[in-house]
Amino acid sequence: MKLYITEGSPYARIVRVVIIEKGLESRVEIIFAKTRSTNSPYYGINPSGRVPYLIRDDGVGLEESALIVDYLDQLDGRLMFNLPTGEQGWEARRLEALARSLMDGLAVWGRELARPENERSPTIIKHETARSVRMVDLWETQIDHLWMCGALNMAQITLACALGLDARNPDFRWRQGHPKLVAWSDAFAARPSFAVTAVPRR
Ligand SMILES: N[C@@H](CCC(=O)N[C@@H](CS)C(=O)NCC(=O)O)C(=O)O
């Protein structure tokens, strides 16, 4: 299989962490794609131009990190990321959605920063900065939820990859005033799968 990524994409990082946690490194070749660039050859591979993008062994391409994770998880017949049933399952999905919401906002903010300075929207940057402040405050109240402390799951991976975007965006200063989140994130960062996939600092 082939996985197309960019080094800064938190969505691609989710999939890379899962590949390592599942021990699938020898089955998935990681390829760096050139995104957001006119006439990139990558558009001939994935017309949407987005990463992550997995090309399965049968040649079928999959986009969307959640779908790719589900596909990779079932390959060995030992699901690592299936959800509990009942109320616990709703809690797991609620927390993963909250983590993805933080990530989505940070991705929009990061996209603005990647544009030439005279094309950046101060309105969008202000909006996403404020959203991130609210979401990080909320996460400080949620981080001692049992689902965030137990066996590895997608809510944890998604949140860790979202917070890790501070390497790309020095204005995303979430640590101050959030001691529980800092302790949680620092403990998570010790996982080899997370360390190896670290987003290079800007
Ligand atoms: N919902 C998608 C989001 C993927 C996404 O937005 N990827 C960004 C990188 S972080 C991308 O490929 N952008 C390139 C572009 O917009 O052309 C997922 O979970 O995989």
Side-chain angles (χ1 to χ4, degrees), residues 33-192:
K34 181 85 189 143
T35 59
R36 302 184 83 80
S37 143
T38 315
N39 297 328
S40 169
Y42 179 55
Y43 301 156
I45 296 162
N46 179 12
S48 86
R50 291 201 175 89
V51 291
Y53 186 63
L54 181 79
I55 302 191
R56 303 184 328 198
D57 284 337
D58 61 5
V60 172
L62 300 181
E63 168 159 319
E64 278 291 328
S65 51
L67 171 63
I68 297 171
V69 165
D70 283 351
Y71 179 75
L72 293 172
D73 196 20
Q74 55 79 48
L75 279 179
D76 58 5
R78 289 190 303 250
L79 292 180
M80 200 173 186
F81 300 112
N82 59 333
L83 293 174
T85 52
E87 185 53 29
Q88 237 195 321
W90 290 114
E91 278 297 278
R93 290 173 68 179
R94 177 181 72 81
L95 290 162
E96 185 178 340
L98 273 187
R100 201 164 263 272
S101 176
L102 173 62
M103 179 178 285
D104 288 347
L106 292 170
V108 170
W109 183 1
R111 231 161 268 156
E112 283 306 307
L113 299 181
R115 285 144 65 99
E117 228 169 298
N118 63 341
E119 290 179 20
R120 290 179 195 164
S121 161
T123 309
I124 291 178
I125 292 175
K126 198 169 152 207
H127 182 66
E128 294 306 340
T129 304
R131 191 203 311 276
S132 76
V133 169
R134 294 192 304 270
M135 295 298 292
V136 167
D137 284 349
L138 174 60
W139 267 110
E140 181 70 7
T141 70
Q142 299 290 305
I143 200 63
D144 38 22
H145 191 291
L146 274 182
W147 189 247
M148 299 310 291
C149 312
L152 185 67
N153 58 54
M154 291 313 298
Q156 295 171 12
I157 295 175
T158 306
L159 178 63
C161 290
L163 294 173
L165 282 171
D166 60 357
R168 300 300 268 189
N169 179 353
D171 292 331
F172 174 43
R173 285 185 291 264
W174 58 269
R175 290 177 167 261
Q176 181 76 30
H178 303 104
K180 290 198 272 183
L181 204 50
V182 168
W184 181 89
S185 169
D186 288 352
F188 194 94
R191 294 189 89 92

